[in-house]
Amino acid sequence: MGELDRAALGARAHELGARLTARGVELVALTWVDNSGITRTKAVPLRRLANAAAWGVGASYSFDFFLFNDDLITGEYSRGAVGDLRLYPDLERLTALSAQPGWAWAPADRYDQEGVVHPQDQRSLAKAAVERLAERGYTAKMAFEVEWIITAESAPDDITSAVCGPGYGYASLSRHSDYLRAVVSALERQRIGVEQIHPEYAAGQFELSVAASDPVAAADTYVLVRETVRAVSRQHGLRASFTPRFAGEGVGNGGHVHLSVWDGETNAYAGGDRRFGMTGVAESFSAGILGRLPALLAVGAPSVVSYLRLEPHHWAGVYGVWGLENREAPLRFVTGSVGERAKAANLEVKCFDQTANPYLVVAALLFAGLAGLDEGGTLPEPVDVDPGTLPEDERRRLGIDRLPTNLLDAVAAFEADTVLTGSFGAPLATTLTDIRKAEAALFTGATAEEIARAMRWTH
Ligand code: GLU
Ligand code: MG
């Protein structure tokens, strides 16, 4: 992982800082995402950016041990309040924030005071996974889809307070057309290429998708998209909830991930001789992910509330299958239309949600896919029905298993997966499972409604 060239970083920060000063920026927020999926931050005045770029900004080791409610756990690798890490802004991602005038943002990597990457740093792990893929001669493109529910600031817990109308209804769009335009325009001014925005199924629910990019950039973009949506919502008297399940009942917010693997300019998910045009590389990569979905849920559906969302018939994908354009499959293969397939074909992971840390999602998917390549994995028959509609014995005959239905089962699968725990490294893998178990313990005996309420506004 990158050595810190402090002089070069300081000089680059000076150059970029001058441009931001000209645009009226006064403060820069540095963000990282913790193991509970919460974006945490420290900010510096713009004149301190060069110092932050060269020497980092202090942050406690204890941030690895935060639960979603800010409880701190004592994990095997925790050292309590002692010690200091440094947050280094990624200057190439420094962005003036449209919805927070006078502010800029940059994602941060965490190093120790010796200038060594912190072994539990999630963004650095995502970078390491990308490097591993590069060693095999491939790159990946990813994009995170964001779904969210808006409510009126005056009645935030009433899901119908901002929008009450049919799913995908034009009425929802027209009622909030100024708001939606402000969201898109803020994102585009932040150089994020919005591809689509629409009202979703639930009351107050919207979805936004962005162009695919390098995986780490995709995770950064996802952080920025959510914080922009949140800020614009506030400006319009609205509150945005990204929770997997707003209430005990209803449709949830997914955090779907699109991914494709490339050999130079060639998309491995198109033009091949395997099913639906996949190449052998794409098939093995996908098989590595499919076989590990139970373990991957501990990363991509990492909270207790995640499992309220993971129900059959909710387009969340709860059986361990894949299928062509099957929205009830956790792995939905998307070919795109004739003529655009070489560019558009990709795999959508639907069972993940937005309580996940996107950097860990990137790392876990790439490591799982790489393991599939190593194993020369092949995919089983695709499924072209909603597996939840099949009789139980038919599912058994076809070897279709339900994915974990609770967090602890997913954690057990993760702990048993040596590929994932090995690539994450013992400190991070252990801390993650400690955190998940502590969160599960917190909700022992809680009702669905209580769980949903506790996590409605946390992420
Ligand atoms: N809201 C659904 C979910 O929880 C997804 C709907 C869709 O396929 O876009 O994942
Ligand atoms: Mg959707």
Side-chain angles (χ1 to χ4, degrees):
M1 193 58 54
E3 289 265 305
L4 293 163
D5 181 346
R6 299 184 194 277
L9 288 167
R12 179 83 176 127
H14 261 300
E15 183 191 322
L16 294 171
R19 284 189 224 162
L20 289 180
T21 305
R23 295 180 61 185
V25 169
E26 294 171 37
L27 283 146
V28 184
L30 277 53
T31 60
W32 74 101
V33 184
D34 73 11
N35 290 323
S36 295
I38 294 187
T39 301
R40 310 270 178 184
T41 191
K42 293 232 174 165
V44 293
L46 184 57
R47 74 181 152 69
R48 293 281 295 167
L49 180 64
N51 187 78
W55 299 103
V57 172
S60 166
Y61 279 91
S62 58
F63 284 117
D64 287 330
F65 301 91
F66 268 60
L67 300 190
F68 74 94
N69 65 352
D70 294 348
D71 276 357
L72 263 161
I73 63 157
T74 312
E76 185 183 336
Y77 289 86
S78 67
R79 32 171 121 178
V82 179
D84 195 41
L85 288 170
R86 314 297 301 174
L87 303 168
Y88 287 85
D90 184 337
L91 295 173
E92 299 320 310
R93 208 51 217 256
L94 185 63
T95 306
L97 293 177
S98 302
Q100 290 168 249
W103 284 80
W105 160 88
D109 295 318
R110 297 183 300 155
Y111 286 67
D112 68 16
Q113 287 176 314
E114 309 306 311
V116 176
V117 171
H118 176 44
Q120 301 202 45
D121 184 49
Q122 300 87 349
R123 191 170 184 268
S124 301
L125 185 72
K127 286 187 191 174
V130 169
E131 275 171 29
R132 264 246 233 126
L133 188 64
E135 285 161 16
R136 296 288 300 264
Y138 302 108
T139 56
K141 285 189 192 175
M142 289 196 192
F144 287 79
E145 279 179 10
V146 174
E147 293 185 327
W148 74 100
I149 285 169
I150 52 167
T151 55
E153 192 63 85
S154 53
D157 293 306
D158 174 3
I159 196 170
T160 61
S161 58
V163 183
C164 183
Y168 308 95
Y170 189 84
S172 307
L173 183 145
S174 63
R175 173 158 175 198
H176 290 285
S177 56
D178 286 343
Y179 163 68
L180 296 171
R181 181 168 53 98
V183 167
V184 173
S185 117
L187 292 172
E188 297 260 332
R189 273 181 281 138
Q190 291 168 178
R191 296 181 312 236
I192 291 173
V194 174
E195 298 220 318
Q196 192 182 314
I197 188 164
H198 64 262
E200 254 291 341
Y201 189 86
Q205 193 177 34
F206 292 93
E207 172 179 331
L208 183 138
S209 48
V210 299
S213 63
D214 159 79
V216 178
D220 292 336
T221 294
Y222 169 77
V223 169
L224 186 53
V225 167
R226 282 161 32 112
E227 296 313 322
T228 303
V229 166
R230 210 189 311 269
V232 174
S233 301
R234 292 263 182 197
Q235 288 171 343
H236 285 74
L238 301 167
R239 245 204 235 184
S241 172
F242 302 93
T243 183
R245 190 66 169 259
F246 191 89
E249 291 291 311
V251 163
N253 289 315
H256 308 171
V257 187
H258 291 266
L259 77 92
S260 52
V261 174
W262 295 69
D263 181 353
E265 296 297 306
T266 308
N267 183 356
Y269 279 87
D273 57 3
R274 304 289 172 92
R275 264 167 305 210
F276 314 126
M278 278 189 209
T279 64
V281 167
E283 176 167 3
S284 291
F285 199 88
S286 307
I289 293 172
L290 179 63
R292 289 181 175 77
L293 279 178
L296 287 167
L297 281 189
V299 176
S303 65
V304 172
V305 71
S306 299
Y307 296 83
L308 298 183
R309 167 181 168 261
L310 289 177
E311 285 187 323
H313 321 306
H314 283 60
W315 290 12
V318 300
Y319 290 93
V321 302
W322 74 288
L324 178 66
E325 291 291 7
N326 186 347
R327 286 184 169 79
E328 281 292 340
L331 295 188
R332 168 188 172 213
F333 183 50
V334 181
T335 56
S337 302
V338 174
E340 63 157 9
R341 289 189 173 151
K343 184 169 161 279
N346 71 85
L347 191 68
E348 180 184 31
V349 183
K350 286 182 74 74
C351 50
F352 291 179
D353 66 63
Q354 298 175 75
T355 57
N357 177 316
Y359 302 104
L360 293 181
V361 165
V362 162
L365 287 174
L366 293 183
F367 286 131
L370 277 161
L373 285 181
D374 289 341
E375 295 152 0
T378 53
L379 286 167
E381 285 303 310
V383 170
D384 61 3
V385 293
D386 172 355
T389 60
L390 298 174
E392 177 106 37
D393 55 342
E394 178 69 356
R395 274 200 300 268
R396 206 168 315 119
R397 194 183 66 76
L398 294 169
I400 296 176
D401 292 325
R402 181 87 194 251
L403 295 176
T405 55
N406 64 75
L407 181 56
L408 289 178
D409 285 354
V411 168
F414 179 84
E415 286 178 316
D417 190 305
T418 49
V419 163
L420 290 176
T421 54
S423 336
F424 275 44
L428 179 55
T430 307
T431 302
L432 272 186
T433 55
D434 286 348
I435 288 207
R436 308 285 183 259
K437 288 174 189 172
E439 185 183 310
L442 218 52
F443 286 112
T444 310
T447 64
E449 200 57 44
E450 285 164 348
I451 296 164
R453 205 173 323 119
M455 302 192 78
R456 192 172 287 162
W457 305 111
T458 49
H459 291 75

